């Protein structure tokens, strides 16, 4: 694996590259099929009230957590109640569960969720890692619940039995497992007796471990190393685009210089994104034009080609904004102050050579428009302090949420947990609220199209760069390699097998 998890508690999930670990141990009530439709998993079905304010969910019988305790309606209620506790999972409580009024145990195998307003993201929550079921015993007794680890029990096909921070994780098969979702490739226990995940940050080291036979499968294979895999007849490379939000640079509008729309537009025009992506990823990256990934049904393709890569326009906009002078290093200045913007990257979230991409963007904006982009790659704590104290101008992010609406609520709503643009736009909030309340797919797509036009087109709150993708390189002796339906990220190890 390229990225080590910050946490192994699914309720705290925030890294797309850890979904494959989450689903080894934990499971949700619903899942998505390859066509993006919700299907039962630990549930057997659900009913929606005509007014959209009540969901009644029927649960499977005979399911147990790996600690031997039963999965039932009481367990579901315990998980939802925990998620609503102040300070436990504030982002989930503020987005997916913000309209939840109560969760009720109807009988041992039925729960009822009552809402204060119609909300389609509740069903997406029931299919998400954050909605995965943790043993109530673990919720009560885990030594470090938020961090997760070997003392958190789930219902999944594997049990985490060893974790050496900075090195590896080991899972062993759950022998009694027999409740796979309909999207899985088989039923019953997993094929593998166990599986070890090693954390190898450098792609060359991961691919080297694969080609030398030290490991059978690696995830995260950038363009520079893909020829080594493709040229080897004993290896196979597969790819998939992630859903959710595109990888973008979000502009902090709460202070100078990005409180000025002209400067935000100028930064975007100063970057020839196609050239930058080609330099970093060769021809393997999919250009993004919107905050929404192009693999999402909510993507507004009208934004394609509507901005960017015009150095003359970038310079004219900066001149208009008063950044007319240059210092001896070629950077623009105004009132004796250099046009400097800071991007603080948190190391645990850096994937896909995003540190190298930042250097390429840094060079582009200097050369094209005299903008000084300062890039810092720091530990998670340092990055969080910079965000909390508003000591940044650029925030980079992508999310692999199966429903892009969940990502957009987090990123763009006034009360969004990661609204790093600091935008406070009643129109944006109204559109986000409408999208969350609208069940009709066509009407919902229209709402989010208007939202994208507002935040990307009119307000230039961000610079979309590329649609994240995942790559899996594996020995041809490994079967069952899959990507998670809709999300486009590597699936769990449940269907994996090793042949001759």
């Amino acid at each position: 694996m390229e990225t080590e998890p910050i946490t192994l508690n699914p309720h705290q999930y925030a890294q797309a590259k850890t979904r494959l670990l989450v689903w080894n141990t934990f499971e949700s009530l619903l899942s998505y099929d390859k066509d993006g439709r919700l299907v039962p998993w630990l549930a057997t079905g659900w009913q929606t009230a005509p007014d959209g304010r009540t969901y009644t969910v029927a649960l499977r019988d005979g399911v147990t957590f790996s600690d031997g305790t039963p999965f039932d309606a009481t367990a579901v209620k315990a998980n939802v109640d925990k998620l609503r506790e102040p300070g436990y999972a504030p982002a989930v409580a503020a987005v997916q569960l913000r309209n939840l009024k109560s969760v009720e145990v109807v009988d041992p195998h039925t729960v009822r969720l009552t809402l204060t307003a119609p909300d389609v993201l509740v069903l997406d929550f029931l299919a998400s890692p954050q909605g995965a079921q943790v043993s109530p015993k673990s919720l009560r007794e885990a030594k470090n619940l938020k961090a997760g680890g070997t003392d958190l029990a789930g219902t999944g096909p594997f049990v985490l039995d060893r974790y050496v921070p900075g090195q590896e994780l080991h899972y062993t098969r759950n022998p009694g497992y027999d409740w796979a979702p309909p999207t899985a490739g088989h039923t019953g226990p997993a094929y593998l007796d166990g599986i070890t995940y090693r954390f190898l940050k450098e792609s060359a080291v991961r691919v080297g471990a694969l080609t030398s036979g030290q490991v059978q499968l690696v995830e995260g294979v950038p363009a520079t190393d893909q020829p080594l895999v493709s040229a080897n007849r004993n290896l196979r490379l597969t790819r998939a685009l992630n859903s959710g939000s595109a990888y973008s640079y979000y502009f902090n509008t709460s202070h100078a210089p990005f409180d000025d729309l002209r400067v935000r537009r100028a930064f975007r025009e100063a970057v020839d994104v196609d050239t930058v992506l080609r330099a970093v990823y060769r021809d393997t990256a999919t250009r993004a034009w919107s905050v929404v990934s192009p693999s999402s049904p909510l993507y507004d393709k009208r934004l394609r080609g509507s901005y960017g890569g015009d150095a003359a326009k970038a310079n004219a906009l900066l001149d208009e904004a008063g950044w007319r002078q240059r210092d001896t290093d070629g950077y623009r200045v105004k009132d004796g102050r250099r046009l400097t913007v800071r991007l603080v990257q948190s190391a645990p979230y850096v994937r896909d050579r995003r540190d190298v991409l930042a250097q390429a963007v840094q060079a582009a904006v200097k050369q094209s428009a005299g903008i000084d982009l300062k890039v810092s790659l720091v530990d998670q704590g340092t990055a969080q302090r910079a965000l909390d104290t508003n000591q940044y101008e650029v925030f980079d992010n992508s999310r692999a949420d199966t429903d892009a609406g969940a990502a957009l609520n987090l990123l763009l709503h006034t009360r969004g947990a990661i609204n790093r643009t600091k935008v406070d736009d009643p129109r944006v909030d109204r559109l986000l609220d409408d999208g969350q309340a609208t069940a009709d797919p066509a009407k919902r797509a229209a709402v989010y199209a208007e939202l994208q036009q507002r935040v990307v087109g009119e307000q230039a709150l961000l610079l979309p760069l590329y649609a994240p993708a995942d790559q899996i390189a594996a020995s041809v002796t490994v079967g069952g390699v899959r990507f998670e339906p809709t999300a486009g990220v590597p699936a769990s190890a449940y269907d994996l097998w090793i042949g001759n």
Side-chain angles (χ1 to χ4, degrees), residues 194-211:
I195 182 168
T196 301
Y197 293 86
R198 298 178 184 170
F199 309 123
L200 301 176
K201 177 66 178 175
E202 296 300 323
S203 171
V205 177
R206 290 196 302 279
V207 174
L210 178 67
T211 56

Side-chain angles (χ1 to χ4, degrees), residues 17-100:
K17 282 186 174 271
T18 65
R19 286 177 75 106
L20 75 167
L21 299 177
V22 167
W23 295 133
N24 278 342
T25 307
F26 304 99
E27 301 177 302
S28 58
L29 303 188
L30 307 179
S31 186
Y32 283 96
D33 67 14
K34 61 182 179 61
D35 298 316
R37 295 174 301 198
L38 285 163
V39 294
W41 190 349
L42 290 181
T44 58
W46 69 94
Q47 292 182 335
T48 307
D51 64 358
R53 293 173 185 259
T54 303
Y55 294 104
T56 303
V57 184
L59 308 176
R60 286 194 186 213
D61 192 6
V63 176
T64 57
F65 291 99
S66 60
D67 61 7
T69 59
F71 164 76
D72 55 18
T74 300
V76 174
K77 178 174 170 55
N79 276 263
V80 176
D81 286 345
K82 187 67 182 180
L83 283 158
R84 300 175 75 194
E85 281 187 11
Y88 176 66
V92 178
V95 178
Q96 292 100 322
L97 299 181
R98 70 174 182 150
N99 291 317
L100 180 64

Side-chain angles (χ1 to χ4, degrees), residues 352-427:
D352 304 342
R353 306 183 77 214
R354 290 176 178 176
D355 50 343
V356 179
L357 176 59
Q359 295 169 18
V361 174
Q362 180 184 55
V365 296
K366 177 185 179 182
Q367 180 178 353
S368 297
I371 299 172
D372 180 20
L373 173 62
K374 299 287 191 185
V375 181
S376 302
L377 180 61
V378 299
D379 61 84
Q380 184 189 6
T382 301
Q384 191 62 51
R385 282 192 295 274
L387 296 172
D388 291 343
T389 57
N390 209 21
Q391 299 297 307
Y392 69 98
E393 286 72 42
V394 182
F395 169 68
D396 65 328
N397 184 268
S398 67
R399 292 185 60 84
D401 299 270
T402 46
D403 189 310
L408 300 183
N409 270 281
L410 285 167
L411 291 160
L412 297 170
H413 200 284
T414 301
R415 301 186 301 275
I418 51 174
N419 176 5
R420 305 303 185 190
T421 67
K422 307 290 186 178
V423 63
D424 184 354
D425 185 334
R427 181 179 166 193

Side-chain angles (χ1 to χ4, degrees), residues 302-322:
R302 294 176 299 167
L303 287 164
R304 184 179 180 87
S306 61
Y307 62 86
D310 188 335
K313 186 174 182 179
N315 283 284
L317 284 164
L318 291 177
D319 287 343
E320 182 183 335

